[in-house]
Amino acid sequence: MSESPSKRVGFVSLGCPKALVDSERILTQLRLEGYDIVPSYEEADVVVVNTCGFIDSAKQESLDAIGEAISANGRVIVTGCMGKDAEAITRVHPQVLSVTGPQAYEAVVGAVHEVIPVPKMTHDPFQDLVPPQGIKLTPRHYSYLKISEGCNHRCSFCIIPSLRGDLVSRPVGEVLDEAERLVNSGVRELLVISQDTSAYGVDKKYLTGFWQGRPVKGSMQGLCEALSELGVWVRLHYVYPYPHVEKVIPLMAEGKILPYLDIPFQHASTRILKAMKRPAASENTLKQIKAWREICPDLTLRSTFIVGFPGETDDDFEELLDFLGEAQLDRVGCFQYSPVDGAAANALPGQVPEELKQERWERFMEVQQEISANRLQQKIGREIDVLIDDITPEHAVGRSKADAPEIDGLVYVSDPEGLEVGDIVTVTVQDADDYDLYA
C-alpha cells in the first residue's frame, strides 16, 4: 500500500482501559486509511484528544490536555467520556474543531477527514488484507479480528514476508479477550483475518493459552471452538487449503461458526501453481471441496485467482476454466498478474502480453458470473438469516451467512419496519440477480 502525501495525526489518550481500547480502534482505522500517527504536537496536522470524564480531577486533566494541544498545534478534535458534555469543553476551549462522546469511532474519523482528507492510496491485492476502502468503523455490529501477522510462505508473486516478516501468531488468550470485548460492545459478527489464518499457531507449536480461566489450544481449530462460544457470527478469511482445514468444517455444519471459507486458490494448473510456489494441485483441491461439502452442504466458498501469470499458456488457462466449472465456487475475485517490486515472479520467463491478460480476465469473469448467478438462483424460496447493515425507507439492506462485508453480495429485505442495524432476522428469498438476493 502506498500513500502520497503523508497526512499526520497526533493522539492523546486519557482515562481507563476501555478508553484506551477506543483509542486503539480509532488509531487502527486512521492507519488503515493511510494516516501517519506522530508523537508530537509539532509534527501533527491535527490532534485528537480522547478524554476522561469520570471524576472532576480527570475532567480537569482532560481540559488541561485539550488546552495544551490547542496551544501547541491549534487544530484539535475532542472525543471520549467528557465529550458527552460538549458545552463544558467548548465553554473553556471554543477553538476545538469537533466534540464527540465515547465509542464514537466513525464521528472521530469523519472529523479527521474534514481537517485532512484521506490520503490517496493504491490497493495491492497481493499485499493488503482489507479492501482499499479500509476497515470501516461506521457499522458497530461487525469487526475484523486479526490473529497473526506475517507469513511463512514464499509465493513467487508476493512480497509480504519481506515486508512483514514470517508468521507471528498472537497468543490465543489475547485474541479471545479482544473478541470478547468486541462482542460485549455490540459486535454481532467477527471476521477473522491474517495473512494465513489456517497456519495460526504453527510458529508457537500450537501453544496452549488460557481464556476465562481454562486452557485453549493455540490452533485454528482451538480458536474457532472458543470463538463459537461467544454467540456471534464468526467468519474465516484468508484460509490456506491445508488438509487440517477439514477439522473446522464440522463446526460449520453444527452452526458454531459460519459455513464460509475464503481460500485464495490463485490458479488450478499444477504447472502454474508450482511456478507460484503454491503447494497445491487442482485435483486435490477438488477432492477437498467435495469432502467439505459432504460434511457441510451449505458451505460457501470464496476465492481469488490470478490470470496472466508468467508462463501461463492457453492450456493452463483452459484448465483454470475447467476447474471453475467443477468447483462451483460461490464468490470469486480475479486479478490480472502485474509485477510487484521485489517479487521472484518478475524474473520468470514467458511474460503474458497485457491484451491477452485482459482477454483471459474477461473470459474468466464471464464463466464465473454465470456460476455465481446460478448458485444464487438455487436459494430462491429458502429461508436464510440476514444481518442488517443499513435501513432505507424502501428496504433493509443486509448480508447472509454467505456474504462478507465489502466483497460479497447483499440481501435486500422488502419490509424494513421494526428492523434496526445489527439485527439478525430470518427471511424468505424471493428473487436473485447476478450478485444479490431479494427477500
Side-chain angles (χ1 to χ4, degrees), residues 331 389 397-400 403 408-412 435-438:
R331 304 288 191 184
D389 286 334
V397 184
R399 294 174 291 105
S400 72
D403 303 304
D408 291 329
L410 299 171
V411 181
Y412 293 89
Y435 301 103
D436 302 320
L437 298 174
Y438 301 85

PDB file of all heavy atoms in Angstrom, residues 331 389 397-400 403 408-412 435-438:
ATOM      1  N   ARG A 331     -18.329 -17.314  -4.610  1.00  0.00           N
ATOM      2  CA  ARG A 331     -17.854 -15.939  -4.804  1.00  0.00           C
ATOM      3  C   ARG A 331     -16.404 -15.985  -5.248  1.00  0.00           C
ATOM      4  O   ARG A 331     -15.585 -16.676  -4.631  1.00  0.00           O
ATOM      5  CB  ARG A 331     -17.950 -15.147  -3.503  1.00  0.00           C
ATOM      6  CG  ARG A 331     -19.327 -15.116  -2.868  1.00  0.00           C
ATOM      7  CD  ARG A 331     -20.291 -14.254  -3.651  1.00  0.00           C
ATOM      8  NE  ARG A 331     -21.535 -14.015  -2.929  1.00  0.00           N
ATOM      9  CZ  ARG A 331     -22.574 -13.366  -3.419  1.00  0.00           C
ATOM     10  NH1 ARG A 331     -22.511 -12.871  -4.638  1.00  0.00           N
ATOM     11  NH2 ARG A 331     -23.669 -13.195  -2.702  1.00  0.00           N
ATOM     12  N   ASP A 389     -27.355  -4.398   7.756  1.00  0.00           N
ATOM     13  CA  ASP A 389     -26.287  -3.403   7.703  1.00  0.00           C
ATOM     14  C   ASP A 389     -26.802  -1.979   7.567  1.00  0.00           C
ATOM     15  O   ASP A 389     -26.133  -1.018   7.964  1.00  0.00           O
ATOM     16  CB  ASP A 389     -25.354  -3.687   6.506  1.00  0.00           C
ATOM     17  CG  ASP A 389     -24.451  -4.886   6.730  1.00  0.00           C
ATOM     18  OD1 ASP A 389     -24.156  -5.202   7.891  1.00  0.00           O
ATOM     19  OD2 ASP A 389     -24.038  -5.502   5.725  1.00  0.00           O
ATOM     20  N   VAL A 397     -31.104  -3.399   4.143  1.00  0.00           N
ATOM     21  CA  VAL A 397     -30.004  -3.990   3.380  1.00  0.00           C
ATOM     22  C   VAL A 397     -29.129  -4.773   4.348  1.00  0.00           C
ATOM     23  O   VAL A 397     -28.679  -4.244   5.371  1.00  0.00           O
ATOM     24  CB  VAL A 397     -29.155  -2.914   2.680  1.00  0.00           C
ATOM     25  CG1 VAL A 397     -28.079  -3.567   1.824  1.00  0.00           C
ATOM     26  CG2 VAL A 397     -30.039  -2.009   1.835  1.00  0.00           C
ATOM     27  N   GLY A 398     -28.910  -6.038   4.031  1.00  0.00           N
ATOM     28  CA  GLY A 398     -28.108  -6.876   4.923  1.00  0.00           C
ATOM     29  C   GLY A 398     -27.293  -7.889   4.164  1.00  0.00           C
ATOM     30  O   GLY A 398     -27.162  -7.822   2.935  1.00  0.00           O
ATOM     31  N   ARG A 399     -26.737  -8.801   4.924  1.00  0.00           N
ATOM     32  CA  ARG A 399     -25.915  -9.866   4.351  1.00  0.00           C
ATOM     33  C   ARG A 399     -26.312 -11.187   4.968  1.00  0.00           C
ATOM     34  O   ARG A 399     -26.633 -11.277   6.150  1.00  0.00           O
ATOM     35  CB  ARG A 399     -24.431  -9.604   4.624  1.00  0.00           C
ATOM     36  CG  ARG A 399     -23.868  -8.383   3.925  1.00  0.00           C
ATOM     37  CD  ARG A 399     -22.439  -8.102   4.349  1.00  0.00           C
ATOM     38  NE  ARG A 399     -22.351  -7.661   5.744  1.00  0.00           N
ATOM     39  CZ  ARG A 399     -21.933  -8.378   6.759  1.00  0.00           C
ATOM     40  NH1 ARG A 399     -21.528  -9.635   6.569  1.00  0.00           N
ATOM     41  NH2 ARG A 399     -21.892  -7.881   7.983  1.00  0.00           N
ATOM     42  N   SER A 400     -26.241 -12.233   4.159  1.00  0.00           N
ATOM     43  CA  SER A 400     -26.498 -13.574   4.664  1.00  0.00           C
ATOM     44  C   SER A 400     -25.193 -14.164   5.202  1.00  0.00           C
ATOM     45  O   SER A 400     -24.131 -13.536   5.135  1.00  0.00           O
ATOM     46  CB  SER A 400     -27.040 -14.462   3.540  1.00  0.00           C
ATOM     47  OG  SER A 400     -26.002 -14.780   2.608  1.00  0.00           O
ATOM     48  N   ASP A 403     -22.218 -14.022   2.866  1.00  0.00           N
ATOM     49  CA  ASP A 403     -21.746 -12.746   2.342  1.00  0.00           C
ATOM     50  C   ASP A 403     -20.916 -11.979   3.358  1.00  0.00           C
ATOM     51  O   ASP A 403     -21.433 -11.533   4.387  1.00  0.00           O
ATOM     52  CB  ASP A 403     -22.936 -11.878   1.925  1.00  0.00           C
ATOM     53  CG  ASP A 403     -23.814 -12.568   0.898  1.00  0.00           C
ATOM     54  OD1 ASP A 403     -23.272 -12.960  -0.155  1.00  0.00           O
ATOM     55  OD2 ASP A 403     -25.026 -12.718   1.147  1.00  0.00           O
ATOM     56  N   ASP A 408     -18.634  -9.296  -0.910  1.00  0.00           N
ATOM     57  CA  ASP A 408     -19.638 -10.233  -1.419  1.00  0.00           C
ATOM     58  C   ASP A 408     -20.949  -9.493  -1.715  1.00  0.00           C
ATOM     59  O   ASP A 408     -20.977  -8.274  -1.799  1.00  0.00           O
ATOM     60  CB  ASP A 408     -19.859 -11.362  -0.420  1.00  0.00           C
ATOM     61  CG  ASP A 408     -18.652 -12.280  -0.305  1.00  0.00           C
ATOM     62  OD1 ASP A 408     -17.938 -12.450  -1.310  1.00  0.00           O
ATOM     63  OD2 ASP A 408     -18.408 -12.837   0.789  1.00  0.00           O
ATOM     64  N   GLY A 409     -22.027 -10.253  -1.869  1.00  0.00           N
ATOM     65  CA  GLY A 409     -23.301  -9.666  -2.240  1.00  0.00           C
ATOM     66  C   GLY A 409     -24.092  -9.144  -1.055  1.00  0.00           C
ATOM     67  O   GLY A 409     -23.654  -9.190   0.101  1.00  0.00           O
ATOM     68  N   LEU A 410     -25.298  -8.656  -1.364  1.00  0.00           N
ATOM     69  CA  LEU A 410     -26.195  -8.102  -0.360  1.00  0.00           C
ATOM     70  C   LEU A 410     -27.542  -8.811  -0.429  1.00  0.00           C
ATOM     71  O   LEU A 410     -27.868  -9.465  -1.421  1.00  0.00           O
ATOM     72  CB  LEU A 410     -26.402  -6.605  -0.598  1.00  0.00           C
ATOM     73  CG  LEU A 410     -25.147  -5.725  -0.520  1.00  0.00           C
ATOM     74  CD1 LEU A 410     -25.474  -4.307  -0.992  1.00  0.00           C
ATOM     75  CD2 LEU A 410     -24.586  -5.707   0.887  1.00  0.00           C
ATOM     76  N   VAL A 411     -28.312  -8.648   0.633  1.00  0.00           N
ATOM     77  CA  VAL A 411     -29.695  -9.127   0.659  1.00  0.00           C
ATOM     78  C   VAL A 411     -30.590  -7.924   0.925  1.00  0.00           C
ATOM     79  O   VAL A 411     -30.426  -7.225   1.936  1.00  0.00           O
ATOM     80  CB  VAL A 411     -29.912 -10.191   1.758  1.00  0.00           C
ATOM     81  CG1 VAL A 411     -31.359 -10.682   1.720  1.00  0.00           C
ATOM     82  CG2 VAL A 411     -28.950 -11.356   1.593  1.00  0.00           C
ATOM     83  N   TYR A 412     -31.521  -7.667   0.014  1.00  0.00           N
ATOM     84  CA  TYR A 412     -32.452  -6.554   0.152  1.00  0.00           C
ATOM     85  C   TYR A 412     -33.770  -7.090   0.703  1.00  0.00           C
ATOM     86  O   TYR A 412     -34.431  -7.922   0.075  1.00  0.00           O
ATOM     87  CB  TYR A 412     -32.670  -5.880  -1.196  1.00  0.00           C
ATOM     88  CG  TYR A 412     -31.434  -5.181  -1.717  1.00  0.00           C
ATOM     89  CD1 TYR A 412     -30.500  -5.860  -2.502  1.00  0.00           C
ATOM     90  CD2 TYR A 412     -31.192  -3.849  -1.407  1.00  0.00           C
ATOM     91  CE1 TYR A 412     -29.358  -5.222  -2.975  1.00  0.00           C
ATOM     92  CE2 TYR A 412     -30.043  -3.205  -1.872  1.00  0.00           C
ATOM     93  CZ  TYR A 412     -29.142  -3.895  -2.654  1.00  0.00           C
ATOM     94  OH  TYR A 412     -28.006  -3.260  -3.102  1.00  0.00           O
ATOM     95  N   TYR A 435     -25.596 -11.007  -8.437  1.00  0.00           N
ATOM     96  CA  TYR A 435     -24.789 -10.848  -7.235  1.00  0.00           C
ATOM     97  C   TYR A 435     -25.570 -10.815  -5.926  1.00  0.00           C
ATOM     98  O   TYR A 435     -25.049 -11.176  -4.886  1.00  0.00           O
ATOM     99  CB  TYR A 435     -23.966  -9.543  -7.331  1.00  0.00           C
ATOM    100  CG  TYR A 435     -23.047  -9.485  -8.527  1.00  0.00           C
ATOM    101  CD1 TYR A 435     -23.390  -8.723  -9.636  1.00  0.00           C
ATOM    102  CD2 TYR A 435     -21.871 -10.219  -8.559  1.00  0.00           C
ATOM    103  CE1 TYR A 435     -22.537  -8.672 -10.750  1.00  0.00           C
ATOM    104  CE2 TYR A 435     -21.021 -10.179  -9.652  1.00  0.00           C
ATOM    105  CZ  TYR A 435     -21.367  -9.401 -10.744  1.00  0.00           C
ATOM    106  OH  TYR A 435     -20.538  -9.369 -11.839  1.00  0.00           O
ATOM    107  N   ASP A 436     -26.833 -10.351  -5.967  1.00  0.00           N
ATOM    108  CA  ASP A 436     -27.574 -10.074  -4.743  1.00  0.00           C
ATOM    109  C   ASP A 436     -28.858 -10.889  -4.660  1.00  0.00           C
ATOM    110  O   ASP A 436     -29.366 -11.418  -5.661  1.00  0.00           O
ATOM    111  CB  ASP A 436     -27.918  -8.585  -4.679  1.00  0.00           C
ATOM    112  CG  ASP A 436     -26.688  -7.710  -4.740  1.00  0.00           C
ATOM    113  OD1 ASP A 436     -25.674  -8.085  -4.114  1.00  0.00           O
ATOM    114  OD2 ASP A 436     -26.726  -6.655  -5.407  1.00  0.00           O
ATOM    115  N   LEU A 437     -29.412 -10.936  -3.442  1.00  0.00           N
ATOM    116  CA  LEU A 437     -30.675 -11.611  -3.183  1.00  0.00           C
ATOM    117  C   LEU A 437     -31.722 -10.601  -2.757  1.00  0.00           C
ATOM    118  O   LEU A 437     -31.407  -9.541  -2.192  1.00  0.00           O
ATOM    119  CB  LEU A 437     -30.511 -12.651  -2.072  1.00  0.00           C
ATOM    120  CG  LEU A 437     -29.548 -13.814  -2.337  1.00  0.00           C
ATOM    121  CD1 LEU A 437     -29.399 -14.678  -1.076  1.00  0.00           C
ATOM    122  CD2 LEU A 437     -30.020 -14.662  -3.509  1.00  0.00           C
ATOM    123  N   TYR A 438     -33.000 -10.956  -2.999  1.00  0.00           N
ATOM    124  CA  TYR A 438     -34.116 -10.100  -2.631  1.00  0.00           C
ATOM    125  C   TYR A 438     -35.102 -10.924  -1.820  1.00  0.00           C
ATOM    126  O   TYR A 438     -35.513 -12.006  -2.238  1.00  0.00           O
ATOM    127  CB  TYR A 438     -34.789  -9.518  -3.883  1.00  0.00           C
ATOM    128  CG  TYR A 438     -33.795  -8.703  -4.701  1.00  0.00           C
ATOM    129  CD1 TYR A 438     -32.959  -9.326  -5.642  1.00  0.00           C
ATOM    130  CD2 TYR A 438     -33.686  -7.332  -4.507  1.00  0.00           C
ATOM    131  CE1 TYR A 438     -32.033  -8.589  -6.360  1.00  0.00           C
ATOM    132  CE2 TYR A 438     -32.755  -6.589  -5.237  1.00  0.00           C
ATOM    133  CZ  TYR A 438     -31.932  -7.234  -6.159  1.00  0.00           C
ATOM    134  OH  TYR A 438     -31.014  -6.493  -6.866  1.00  0.00           O
TER     135      TYR A 438
END
